[in-house]
Amino acid sequence: QIKELNNFVQLYPMPAQSNIKVMSKYPVSGYSILNIGGQIIEHKDFMTLNNVFEINVSNLAGGIYLLQILTQNGITLEKFNKL
């Protein structure tokens, strides 16, 4: 069973230009970037050691995207703007 988590991730800077820094209360096991229509644009599986990592978004066109963060505790969906 997947548990939906709220308010455990911080993203900055917003709006994003080239990178997004992600800070999580829980170790992250992967992420997906989705367009506003829900299509997966990028997906990566990994384990963070310090709950902080960066995602390069320079290849994305300007607009609104969703970032799905996966942890052992559950998942969350965060909206971000790309310039």
Side-chain angles (χ1 to χ4, degrees):
Q1 179 174 338
I2 297 175
K3 178 179 167 187
E4 186 175 334
L5 302 171
N6 295 314
N7 301 321
F8 78 90
V9 169
Q10 292 181 337
L11 307 178
Y12 63 91
M14 284 302 131
Q17 288 185 320
S18 59
N19 290 305
I20 294 176
K21 188 169 240 182
V22 180
M23 295 177 55
S24 171
K25 291 181 183 176
Y26 308 110
V28 174
S29 57
Y31 71 86
S32 296
I33 297 175
L34 298 87
N35 64 20
I36 202 67
Q39 295 173 308
I40 296 175
I41 296 171
E42 179 179 332
H43 174 81
K44 288 199 178 170
D45 292 317
F46 62 92
M47 282 301 293
T48 57
L49 299 176
N50 61 1
N51 300 356
V52 176
F53 63 98
E54 285 191 15
I55 300 172
N56 183 334
V57 295
S58 61
N59 60 331
L60 298 177
I64 298 173
Y65 295 89
L66 302 171
L67 179 64
Q68 183 181 52
I69 304 288
L70 298 97
T71 74
Q72 293 177 347
N73 297 54
I75 63 171
T76 191
L77 200 60
E78 302 288 332
K79 183 168 63 171
F80 72 92
N81 292 323
K82 164 69 169 66
L83 292 180

